[in-house]
Amino acid sequence: MEAARSSLPPSLQLSGPFLTLGVTLNVPHDLYSGNLPLYGYRVDTYHHGNLRRAALDRALKVVAERGPQALSLREIAADLGVSHTAPRHHFGSIKGLLTAIAAEGFDMLRGRLVALREAGAPFLEFGVAYVEFATENPAHFTVMFQPTLTDPNDSSLTEASQGAFNELRAGVAAIAPQSTTELAAALVTASWSMMHGLATLDLTGNLARSQIRELLGLSDIADIARCAGGLLGGSQGGSSS
């Protein structure tokens, strides 16, 4: 085995009991074709960038299925077939991983809201988009609004969350010409609370258990959001452009 180790190219790095390829070094394909005798060593073929994405995707799956408390960097590493320390190079800890998930979620939400603002959509559609984002990205949504799970001092998370919240606050300016700033702010708060609550009811299964869809005669969550949001009146008027 020692002879096998010494015969490996210098660009191959031994890390504990595992052979790690491409985590910090670029290994040409012709140096490792998959036929190198590794005598039971596991090969980490992820490199910077796709390991981070793969870890995020795996974490999102775990959060969606079992909740954020079930996350384990060791389990993620084992699922991805990499050394148990590899994910720590990107996230440092579980809190770092959850912080990255939250930041990504806020960026995604902001992107949707910006697209609506630039299209001149009425403010009601912002609420509909919010609910659709939550139900389409349940793991992101779960982590984004649980600040105890994330690092409050992380600059990426701060920038991402404030970007999304800025788009929500833009609704105040859109509605304000028709009323006072205070009333517009109250209306935006009511709309946000309603849509966040609706999304949470749907994600937790309570909307289904209540059989409210049957009473409404609506099955699509976006249609339910429009129906409920429309009752606020002013939330339909104005755009954020």
Side-chain angles (χ1 to χ4, degrees):
M1 185 179 298
E2 291 301 322
R5 291 192 190 192
S6 62
S7 66
L8 297 177
S11 55
L12 304 187
Q13 174 190 335
L14 287 175
S15 175
F18 302 115
L19 179 64
T20 303
L21 301 186
V23 173
T24 57
L25 299 173
N26 182 26
V27 180
H29 181 71
D30 59 352
L31 288 183
Y32 180 70
S33 62
N35 298 317
L36 192 65
L38 299 177
Y39 299 93
Y41 287 101
R42 185 173 66 201
V43 179
D44 293 351
T45 57
Y46 287 102
H47 56 72
H48 284 296
N50 66 7
L51 173 56
R52 186 180 191 280
R53 182 69 260 165
L56 282 170
D57 289 342
R58 179 57 191 162
L60 288 166
K61 188 173 188 296
V62 171
V63 172
E65 294 176 352
R66 293 184 279 152
Q69 291 74 21
L71 275 182
S72 162
L73 289 181
R74 281 182 173 271
E75 181 180 326
I76 289 174
D79 290 342
L80 295 178
V82 299
S83 64
H84 70 272
T85 59
R88 291 189 180 276
H89 294 313
H90 293 280
F91 306 106
S93 64
I94 284 294
K95 177 160 282 194
L97 175 57
L98 288 168
T99 298
I101 288 174
E104 181 176 73
F106 278 115
D107 275 335
M108 292 164 62
L109 176 59
R110 177 183 176 276
R112 295 194 182 200
L113 299 181
V114 167
L116 287 172
R117 172 171 55 78
E118 292 179 345
F123 188 67
L124 175 59
E125 291 305 309
F126 281 58
V128 175
Y130 187 95
V131 173
E132 288 181 320
F133 166 80
T135 55
E136 292 168 11
N137 302 277
H140 284 100
F141 189 75
T142 296
V143 176
M144 288 161 61
F145 296 100
Q146 293 192 50
T148 57
L149 297 177
T150 58
D151 180 2
N153 299 314
D154 183 83
S155 59
S156 296
L157 176 57
T158 299
E159 181 179 353
S161 60
Q162 287 305 310
F165 293 149
N166 285 342
E167 293 302 320
L168 290 175
R169 286 195 296 269
V172 176
I175 298 170
Q178 305 166 35
S179 62
T180 66
T181 298
E182 292 78 8
L183 183 58
L187 185 56
V188 169
T189 302
S191 299
W192 184 16
S193 300
M194 175 185 287
M195 297 307 175
H196 190 94
L198 177 59
T200 301
L201 287 171
D202 193 47
L203 289 174
T204 55
N206 286 295
L207 196 66
R209 283 192 287 272
S210 71
Q211 298 183 342
I212 200 70
R213 280 186 167 90
E214 289 77 5
L215 294 176
L216 289 168
L218 300 171
S219 59
D220 185 70
I221 192 65
D223 291 337
I224 295 174
R226 287 190 183 92
C227 178
L231 295 177
L232 291 176
S235 63
Q236 299 185 77
S239 71
S240 292
S241 61

